[in-house]
PDB file of all heavy atoms in Angstrom:
ATOM      1  N   PRO A  83     100.840 118.662 165.292  1.00 86.00           N
ATOM      2  CA  PRO A  83     101.274 118.028 164.035  1.00 86.00           C
ATOM      3  C   PRO A  83     100.623 118.601 162.780  1.00 86.00           C
ATOM      4  O   PRO A  83     101.193 118.502 161.708  1.00 86.00           O
ATOM      5  CB  PRO A  83     100.892 116.559 164.228  1.00 86.00           C
ATOM      6  CG  PRO A  83      99.864 116.555 165.302  1.00 86.00           C
ATOM      7  CD  PRO A  83     100.168 117.726 166.186  1.00 86.00           C
ATOM      8  N   TRP A  86     102.296 122.629 162.378  1.00 94.00           N
ATOM      9  CA  TRP A  86     103.695 122.951 162.550  1.00 94.00           C
ATOM     10  C   TRP A  86     104.167 123.981 161.541  1.00 94.00           C
ATOM     11  O   TRP A  86     103.753 123.886 160.386  1.00 94.00           O
ATOM     12  CB  TRP A  86     104.527 121.662 162.380  1.00 94.00           C
ATOM     13  CG  TRP A  86     105.986 121.895 162.493  1.00 94.00           C
ATOM     14  CD1 TRP A  86     106.746 121.814 163.604  1.00 94.00           C
ATOM     15  CD2 TRP A  86     106.853 122.300 161.423  1.00 94.00           C
ATOM     16  NE1 TRP A  86     108.044 122.154 163.303  1.00 94.00           N
ATOM     17  CE2 TRP A  86     108.132 122.455 161.972  1.00 94.00           C
ATOM     18  CE3 TRP A  86     106.667 122.568 160.064  1.00 94.00           C
ATOM     19  CZ2 TRP A  86     109.227 122.859 161.211  1.00 94.00           C
ATOM     20  CZ3 TRP A  86     107.753 122.968 159.301  1.00 94.00           C
ATOM     21  CH2 TRP A  86     109.024 123.104 159.867  1.00 94.00           C
ATOM     22  N   TRP A 264     112.644 122.916 151.770  1.00 96.00           N
ATOM     23  CA  TRP A 264     111.613 121.867 151.717  1.00 96.00           C
ATOM     24  C   TRP A 264     111.037 121.544 153.091  1.00 96.00           C
ATOM     25  O   TRP A 264     110.134 120.748 153.210  1.00 96.00           O
ATOM     26  CB  TRP A 264     112.164 120.622 151.024  1.00 96.00           C
ATOM     27  CG  TRP A 264     112.366 120.910 149.585  1.00 96.00           C
ATOM     28  CD1 TRP A 264     111.423 120.838 148.599  1.00 96.00           C
ATOM     29  CD2 TRP A 264     113.546 121.412 148.962  1.00 96.00           C
ATOM     30  NE1 TRP A 264     111.945 121.253 147.413  1.00 96.00           N
ATOM     31  CE2 TRP A 264     113.252 121.620 147.595  1.00 96.00           C
ATOM     32  CE3 TRP A 264     114.820 121.720 149.416  1.00 96.00           C
ATOM     33  CZ2 TRP A 264     114.187 122.106 146.679  1.00 96.00           C
ATOM     34  CZ3 TRP A 264     115.755 122.206 148.515  1.00 96.00           C
ATOM     35  CH2 TRP A 264     115.438 122.395 147.162  1.00 96.00           C
ATOM     36  N   ARG A 266     108.771 122.852 155.487  1.00 96.00           N
ATOM     37  CA  ARG A 266     107.774 123.907 155.356  1.00 96.00           C
ATOM     38  C   ARG A 266     106.445 123.447 155.949  1.00 96.00           C
ATOM     39  O   ARG A 266     106.161 122.255 155.994  1.00 96.00           O
ATOM     40  CB  ARG A 266     107.602 124.271 153.886  1.00 96.00           C
ATOM     41  CG  ARG A 266     107.115 123.108 153.044  1.00 96.00           C
ATOM     42  CD  ARG A 266     107.334 123.358 151.557  1.00 96.00           C
ATOM     43  NE  ARG A 266     106.486 122.468 150.764  1.00 96.00           N
ATOM     44  CZ  ARG A 266     106.792 121.209 150.484  1.00 96.00           C
ATOM     45  NH1 ARG A 266     107.892 120.646 150.926  1.00 96.00           N
ATOM     46  NH2 ARG A 266     105.954 120.481 149.758  1.00 96.00           N
ATOM     47  N   ASN A 268     102.441 122.723 156.385  1.00 95.00           N
ATOM     48  CA  ASN A 268     101.554 121.993 155.477  1.00 95.00           C
ATOM     49  C   ASN A 268     100.868 122.886 154.449  1.00 95.00           C
ATOM     50  O   ASN A 268     100.540 122.446 153.361  1.00 95.00           O
ATOM     51  CB  ASN A 268     100.485 121.235 156.267  1.00 95.00           C
ATOM     52  CG  ASN A 268     101.025 119.936 156.815  1.00 95.00           C
ATOM     53  OD1 ASN A 268     102.067 119.441 156.374  1.00 95.00           O
ATOM     54  ND2 ASN A 268     100.332 119.365 157.788  1.00 95.00           N
ATOM     55  N   THR A 271     102.439 124.631 149.833  1.00 93.00           N
ATOM     56  CA  THR A 271     102.363 123.472 148.953  1.00 93.00           C
ATOM     57  C   THR A 271     103.730 123.060 148.441  1.00 93.00           C
ATOM     58  O   THR A 271     104.043 121.886 148.401  1.00 93.00           O
ATOM     59  CB  THR A 271     101.461 123.743 147.736  1.00 93.00           C
ATOM     60  OG1 THR A 271     101.822 124.999 147.203  1.00 93.00           O
ATOM     61  CG2 THR A 271     100.021 123.740 148.122  1.00 93.00           C
ATOM     62  N   ALA A 273     108.101 124.186 148.101  1.00 95.00           N
ATOM     63  CA  ALA A 273     109.177 124.999 148.662  1.00 95.00           C
ATOM     64  C   ALA A 273     109.129 126.379 148.019  1.00 95.00           C
ATOM     65  O   ALA A 273     108.954 126.499 146.807  1.00 95.00           O
ATOM     66  CB  ALA A 273     110.518 124.331 148.383  1.00 95.00           C
ATOM     67  N   GLN A 351      93.824 123.795 151.628  1.00 94.00           N
ATOM     68  CA  GLN A 351      95.214 123.605 152.045  1.00 94.00           C
ATOM     69  C   GLN A 351      95.910 124.915 152.398  1.00 94.00           C
ATOM     70  O   GLN A 351      96.639 125.000 153.361  1.00 94.00           O
ATOM     71  CB  GLN A 351      96.021 122.864 150.969  1.00 94.00           C
ATOM     72  CG  GLN A 351      97.369 122.394 151.526  1.00 94.00           C
ATOM     73  CD  GLN A 351      98.273 121.768 150.487  1.00 94.00           C
ATOM     74  OE1 GLN A 351      97.914 121.605 149.338  1.00 94.00           O
ATOM     75  NE2 GLN A 351      99.466 121.415 150.905  1.00 94.00           N
ATOM     76  N   HIS A 576      79.690 132.928 137.273  1.00 89.00           N
ATOM     77  CA  HIS A 576      80.177 133.126 135.909  1.00 89.00           C
ATOM     78  C   HIS A 576      80.287 131.777 135.189  1.00 89.00           C
ATOM     79  O   HIS A 576      80.718 130.794 135.784  1.00 89.00           O
ATOM     80  CB  HIS A 576      81.551 133.812 135.940  1.00 89.00           C
ATOM     81  CG  HIS A 576      81.977 134.305 134.595  1.00 89.00           C
ATOM     82  ND1 HIS A 576      82.504 133.477 133.639  1.00 89.00           N
ATOM     83  CD2 HIS A 576      81.922 135.534 134.037  1.00 89.00           C
ATOM     84  CE1 HIS A 576      82.769 134.180 132.543  1.00 89.00           C
ATOM     85  NE2 HIS A 576      82.429 135.436 132.765  1.00 89.00           N
ATOM     86  N   PRO A 577      79.915 131.742 133.920  1.00 88.00           N
ATOM     87  CA  PRO A 577      79.975 130.468 133.185  1.00 88.00           C
ATOM     88  C   PRO A 577      81.347 129.802 133.233  1.00 88.00           C
ATOM     89  O   PRO A 577      81.439 128.571 133.212  1.00 88.00           O
ATOM     90  CB  PRO A 577      79.612 130.880 131.754  1.00 88.00           C
ATOM     91  CG  PRO A 577      78.821 132.124 131.903  1.00 88.00           C
ATOM     92  CD  PRO A 577      79.333 132.827 133.120  1.00 88.00           C
ATOM     93  N   TYR A 578      82.412 130.584 133.305  1.00 91.00           N
ATOM     94  CA  TYR A 578      83.746 129.968 133.336  1.00 91.00           C
ATOM     95  C   TYR A 578      84.008 129.186 134.621  1.00 91.00           C
ATOM     96  O   TYR A 578      84.994 128.456 134.707  1.00 91.00           O
ATOM     97  CB  TYR A 578      84.838 131.020 133.158  1.00 91.00           C
ATOM     98  CG  TYR A 578      84.960 131.535 131.742  1.00 91.00           C
ATOM     99  CD1 TYR A 578      85.731 132.654 131.452  1.00 91.00           C
ATOM    100  CD2 TYR A 578      84.315 130.912 130.684  1.00 91.00           C
ATOM    101  CE1 TYR A 578      85.845 133.136 130.164  1.00 91.00           C
ATOM    102  CE2 TYR A 578      84.415 131.391 129.400  1.00 91.00           C
ATOM    103  CZ  TYR A 578      85.182 132.502 129.141  1.00 91.00           C
ATOM    104  OH  TYR A 578      85.295 132.978 127.857  1.00 91.00           O
ATOM    105  N   ARG A 582      77.025 125.058 136.217  1.00 89.00           N
ATOM    106  CA  ARG A 582      75.739 125.429 135.626  1.00 89.00           C
ATOM    107  C   ARG A 582      74.700 125.384 136.732  1.00 89.00           C
ATOM    108  O   ARG A 582      73.861 124.481 136.786  1.00 89.00           O
ATOM    109  CB  ARG A 582      75.366 124.486 134.495  1.00 89.00           C
ATOM    110  CG  ARG A 582      76.044 124.851 133.195  1.00 89.00           C
ATOM    111  CD  ARG A 582      75.576 123.961 132.084  1.00 89.00           C
ATOM    112  NE  ARG A 582      74.210 124.246 131.709  1.00 89.00           N
ATOM    113  CZ  ARG A 582      73.866 125.044 130.702  1.00 89.00           C
ATOM    114  NH1 ARG A 582      74.788 125.621 129.985  1.00 89.00           N
ATOM    115  NH2 ARG A 582      72.600 125.246 130.413  1.00 89.00           N
ATOM    116  N   ASP A 609      71.727 116.506 143.297  1.00 93.00           N
ATOM    117  CA  ASP A 609      70.998 116.119 142.092  1.00 93.00           C
ATOM    118  C   ASP A 609      69.716 116.916 141.897  1.00 93.00           C
ATOM    119  O   ASP A 609      68.893 116.560 141.060  1.00 93.00           O
ATOM    120  CB  ASP A 609      70.670 114.621 142.155  1.00 93.00           C
ATOM    121  CG  ASP A 609      71.929 113.787 142.106  1.00 93.00           C
ATOM    122  OD1 ASP A 609      72.741 114.049 141.198  1.00 93.00           O
ATOM    123  OD2 ASP A 609      72.116 112.914 142.969  1.00 93.00           O
ATOM    124  N   ILE A 645      71.701 108.345 138.192  1.00 73.00           N
ATOM    125  CA  ILE A 645      73.131 108.587 137.942  1.00 73.00           C
ATOM    126  C   ILE A 645      73.975 108.334 139.175  1.00 73.00           C
ATOM    127  O   ILE A 645      75.193 108.323 139.094  1.00 73.00           O
ATOM    128  CB  ILE A 645      73.394 110.019 137.459  1.00 73.00           C
ATOM    129  CG1 ILE A 645      72.895 111.027 138.497  1.00 73.00           C
ATOM    130  CG2 ILE A 645      72.751 110.262 136.119  1.00 73.00           C
ATOM    131  CD1 ILE A 645      73.469 112.387 138.264  1.00 73.00           C
ATOM    132  N   GLU A 646      73.338 108.129 140.304  1.00 58.00           N
ATOM    133  CA  GLU A 646      74.137 108.020 141.525  1.00 58.00           C
ATOM    134  C   GLU A 646      75.098 106.842 141.491  1.00 58.00           C
ATOM    135  O   GLU A 646      76.249 106.954 141.851  1.00 58.00           O
ATOM    136  CB  GLU A 646      73.222 107.936 142.742  1.00 58.00           C
ATOM    137  CG  GLU A 646      72.989 109.289 143.371  1.00 58.00           C
ATOM    138  CD  GLU A 646      72.300 109.172 144.707  1.00 58.00           C
ATOM    139  OE1 GLU A 646      72.952 108.718 145.653  1.00 58.00           O
ATOM    140  OE2 GLU A 646      71.106 109.502 144.788  1.00 58.00           O
TER     141      GLU A 646
ATOM    142  N   PRO B  66     116.068 122.108 142.222  1.00 86.00           N
ATOM    143  CA  PRO B  66     115.172 122.767 143.177  1.00 86.00           C
ATOM    144  C   PRO B  66     113.713 122.347 143.050  1.00 86.00           C
ATOM    145  O   PRO B  66     112.977 122.438 144.026  1.00 86.00           O
ATOM    146  CB  PRO B  66     115.346 124.252 142.846  1.00 86.00           C
ATOM    147  CG  PRO B  66     115.895 124.298 141.459  1.00 86.00           C
ATOM    148  CD  PRO B  66     116.712 123.067 141.308  1.00 86.00           C
ATOM    149  N   TRP B 247     108.093 117.552 158.202  1.00 96.00           N
ATOM    150  CA  TRP B 247     107.718 118.690 157.350  1.00 96.00           C
ATOM    151  C   TRP B 247     108.765 118.972 156.281  1.00 96.00           C
ATOM    152  O   TRP B 247     108.596 119.841 155.459  1.00 96.00           O
ATOM    153  CB  TRP B 247     107.435 119.919 158.214  1.00 96.00           C
ATOM    154  CG  TRP B 247     106.182 119.702 158.965  1.00 96.00           C
ATOM    155  CD1 TRP B 247     104.913 119.941 158.504  1.00 96.00           C
ATOM    156  CD2 TRP B 247     106.035 119.131 160.274  1.00 96.00           C
ATOM    157  NE1 TRP B 247     103.999 119.545 159.446  1.00 96.00           N
ATOM    158  CE2 TRP B 247     104.652 119.059 160.538  1.00 96.00           C
ATOM    159  CE3 TRP B 247     106.926 118.678 161.224  1.00 96.00           C
ATOM    160  CZ2 TRP B 247     104.146 118.540 161.728  1.00 96.00           C
ATOM    161  CZ3 TRP B 247     106.440 118.172 162.414  1.00 96.00           C
ATOM    162  CH2 TRP B 247     105.060 118.110 162.661  1.00 96.00           C
ATOM    163  N   ARG B 249     109.920 117.744 153.173  1.00 96.00           N
ATOM    164  CA  ARG B 249     109.303 116.815 152.232  1.00 96.00           C
ATOM    165  C   ARG B 249     109.363 117.369 150.818  1.00 96.00           C
ATOM    166  O   ARG B 249     109.399 118.576 150.625  1.00 96.00           O
ATOM    167  CB  ARG B 249     107.849 116.573 152.646  1.00 96.00           C
ATOM    168  CG  ARG B 249     107.026 117.835 152.625  1.00 96.00           C
ATOM    169  CD  ARG B 249     105.709 117.670 153.395  1.00 96.00           C
ATOM    170  NE  ARG B 249     104.745 118.684 153.019  1.00 96.00           N
ATOM    171  CZ  ARG B 249     104.729 119.927 153.508  1.00 96.00           C
ATOM    172  NH1 ARG B 249     105.603 120.327 154.392  1.00 96.00           N
ATOM    173  NH2 ARG B 249     103.818 120.765 153.093  1.00 96.00           N
ATOM    174  N   ASN B 251     108.229 118.468 147.034  1.00 95.00           N
ATOM    175  CA  ASN B 251     107.107 119.332 146.652  1.00 95.00           C
ATOM    176  C   ASN B 251     105.816 118.576 146.385  1.00 95.00           C
ATOM    177  O   ASN B 251     104.731 119.113 146.554  1.00 95.00           O
ATOM    178  CB  ASN B 251     107.479 120.139 145.400  1.00 95.00           C
ATOM    179  CG  ASN B 251     108.322 121.352 145.747  1.00 95.00           C
ATOM    180  OD1 ASN B 251     108.384 121.776 146.898  1.00 95.00           O
ATOM    181  ND2 ASN B 251     108.981 121.918 144.753  1.00 95.00           N
ATOM    182  N   THR B 254     102.080 116.967 149.577  1.00 93.00           N
ATOM    183  CA  THR B 254     101.356 118.187 149.944  1.00 93.00           C
ATOM    184  C   THR B 254     101.476 118.485 151.421  1.00 93.00           C
ATOM    185  O   THR B 254     101.674 119.611 151.819  1.00 93.00           O
ATOM    186  CB  THR B 254      99.861 118.074 149.601  1.00 93.00           C
ATOM    187  OG1 THR B 254      99.405 116.822 150.072  1.00 93.00           O
ATOM    188  CG2 THR B 254      99.641 118.170 148.123  1.00 93.00           C
ATOM    189  N   ALA B 256     102.814 116.971 155.474  1.00 95.00           N
ATOM    190  CA  ALA B 256     103.678 116.021 156.171  1.00 95.00           C
ATOM    191  C   ALA B 256     102.939 114.692 156.299  1.00 95.00           C
ATOM    192  O   ALA B 256     101.753 114.651 156.631  1.00 95.00           O
ATOM    193  CB  ALA B 256     104.031 116.571 157.552  1.00 95.00           C
ATOM    194  N   GLN B 334     100.331 118.553 141.070  1.00 94.00           N
ATOM    195  CA  GLN B 334     101.285 118.578 142.187  1.00 94.00           C
ATOM    196  C   GLN B 334     101.763 117.185 142.581  1.00 94.00           C
ATOM    197  O   GLN B 334     102.928 116.986 142.862  1.00 94.00           O
ATOM    198  CB  GLN B 334     100.698 119.295 143.408  1.00 94.00           C
ATOM    199  CG  GLN B 334     101.786 119.592 144.436  1.00 94.00           C
ATOM    200  CD  GLN B 334     101.267 120.183 145.723  1.00 94.00           C
ATOM    201  OE1 GLN B 334     100.091 120.458 145.864  1.00 94.00           O
ATOM    202  NE2 GLN B 334     102.156 120.361 146.676  1.00 94.00           N
ATOM    203  N   HIS B 559      80.687 111.759 133.492  1.00 89.00           N
ATOM    204  CA  HIS B 559      79.628 111.602 134.483  1.00 89.00           C
ATOM    205  C   HIS B 559      79.144 112.977 134.970  1.00 89.00           C
ATOM    206  O   HIS B 559      79.951 113.874 135.186  1.00 89.00           O
ATOM    207  CB  HIS B 559      80.135 110.782 135.673  1.00 89.00           C
ATOM    208  CG  HIS B 559      79.038 110.335 136.581  1.00 89.00           C
ATOM    209  ND1 HIS B 559      78.458 111.163 137.508  1.00 89.00           N
ATOM    210  CD2 HIS B 559      78.384 109.155 136.686  1.00 89.00           C
ATOM    211  CE1 HIS B 559      77.506 110.512 138.150  1.00 89.00           C
ATOM    212  NE2 HIS B 559      77.441 109.279 137.662  1.00 89.00           N
ATOM    213  N   TYR B 561      78.396 114.059 137.743  1.00 91.00           N
ATOM    214  CA  TYR B 561      79.017 114.546 138.985  1.00 91.00           C
ATOM    215  C   TYR B 561      80.367 115.212 138.762  1.00 91.00           C
ATOM    216  O   TYR B 561      80.907 115.834 139.668  1.00 91.00           O
ATOM    217  CB  TYR B 561      79.181 113.400 139.991  1.00 91.00           C
ATOM    218  CG  TYR B 561      77.887 112.972 140.643  1.00 91.00           C
ATOM    219  CD1 TYR B 561      77.815 111.802 141.394  1.00 91.00           C
ATOM    220  CD2 TYR B 561      76.742 113.744 140.534  1.00 91.00           C
ATOM    221  CE1 TYR B 561      76.639 111.399 142.003  1.00 91.00           C
ATOM    222  CE2 TYR B 561      75.553 113.347 141.129  1.00 91.00           C
ATOM    223  CZ  TYR B 561      75.510 112.177 141.863  1.00 91.00           C
ATOM    224  OH  TYR B 561      74.345 111.789 142.459  1.00 91.00           O
ATOM    225  N   ARG B 565      79.403 119.922 132.014  1.00 89.00           N
ATOM    226  CA  ARG B 565      78.318 119.715 131.050  1.00 89.00           C
ATOM    227  C   ARG B 565      78.917 119.794 129.660  1.00 89.00           C
ATOM    228  O   ARG B 565      78.736 120.766 128.944  1.00 89.00           O
ATOM    229  CB  ARG B 565      77.225 120.761 131.242  1.00 89.00           C
ATOM    230  CG  ARG B 565      76.265 120.418 132.354  1.00 89.00           C
ATOM    231  CD  ARG B 565      75.176 121.441 132.438  1.00 89.00           C
ATOM    232  NE  ARG B 565      74.251 121.312 131.319  1.00 89.00           N
ATOM    233  CZ  ARG B 565      73.123 120.624 131.377  1.00 89.00           C
ATOM    234  NH1 ARG B 565      72.770 120.007 132.476  1.00 89.00           N
ATOM    235  NH2 ARG B 565      72.332 120.569 130.328  1.00 89.00           N
ATOM    236  N   ASN B 588      90.188 131.201 122.009  1.00 94.00           N
ATOM    237  CA  ASN B 588      90.046 131.026 123.463  1.00 94.00           C
ATOM    238  C   ASN B 588      90.023 129.541 123.846  1.00 94.00           C
ATOM    239  O   ASN B 588      89.313 129.135 124.767  1.00 94.00           O
ATOM    240  CB  ASN B 588      88.790 131.738 123.966  1.00 94.00           C
ATOM    241  CG  ASN B 588      88.787 131.894 125.473  1.00 94.00           C
ATOM    242  OD1 ASN B 588      89.841 131.900 126.097  1.00 94.00           O
ATOM    243  ND2 ASN B 588      87.605 131.989 126.062  1.00 94.00           N
ATOM    244  N   ASP B 592      84.528 128.493 124.852  1.00 93.00           N
ATOM    245  CA  ASP B 592      83.176 129.025 124.714  1.00 93.00           C
ATOM    246  C   ASP B 592      82.409 128.371 123.585  1.00 93.00           C
ATOM    247  O   ASP B 592      81.341 128.836 123.211  1.00 93.00           O
ATOM    248  CB  ASP B 592      83.255 130.538 124.462  1.00 93.00           C
ATOM    249  CG  ASP B 592      83.786 131.258 125.688  1.00 93.00           C
ATOM    250  OD1 ASP B 592      83.259 130.990 126.775  1.00 93.00           O
ATOM    251  OD2 ASP B 592      84.732 132.040 125.555  1.00 93.00           O
ATOM    252  N   ILE B 628      80.669 136.914 127.420  1.00 73.00           N
ATOM    253  CA  ILE B 628      81.008 136.563 128.801  1.00 73.00           C
ATOM    254  C   ILE B 628      82.498 136.633 129.068  1.00 73.00           C
ATOM    255  O   ILE B 628      82.927 136.528 130.196  1.00 73.00           O
ATOM    256  CB  ILE B 628      80.528 135.148 129.159  1.00 73.00           C
ATOM    257  CG1 ILE B 628      81.155 134.126 128.209  1.00 73.00           C
ATOM    258  CG2 ILE B 628      79.022 135.065 129.140  1.00 73.00           C
ATOM    259  CD1 ILE B 628      81.049 132.737 128.741  1.00 73.00           C
ATOM    260  N   GLU B 629      83.279 136.833 128.034  1.00 58.00           N
ATOM    261  CA  GLU B 629      84.724 136.775 128.249  1.00 58.00           C
ATOM    262  C   GLU B 629      85.210 137.841 129.212  1.00 58.00           C
ATOM    263  O   GLU B 629      85.975 137.579 130.116  1.00 58.00           O
ATOM    264  CB  GLU B 629      85.462 136.874 126.916  1.00 58.00           C
ATOM    265  CG  GLU B 629      85.785 135.511 126.354  1.00 58.00           C
ATOM    266  CD  GLU B 629      86.733 135.612 125.182  1.00 58.00           C
ATOM    267  OE1 GLU B 629      87.903 135.916 125.401  1.00 58.00           O
ATOM    268  OE2 GLU B 629      86.282 135.408 124.046  1.00 58.00           O
TER     269      GLU B 629
END
Side-chain angles (χ1 to χ4, degrees):
Chain A
W86 178 92
W264 291 276
R266 61 197 199 278
N268 279 343
T271 47
Q351 193 185 357
H576 192 281
Y578 286 169
R582 278 184 71 96
D609 294 310
I645 59 164
E646 265 190 71
Chain B
W247 290 275
R249 61 196 199 278
N251 279 343
T254 47
Q334 193 185 356
H559 192 281
Y561 286 169
R565 278 183 72 95
N588 195 24
D592 293 310
I628 59 163
E629 266 191 72

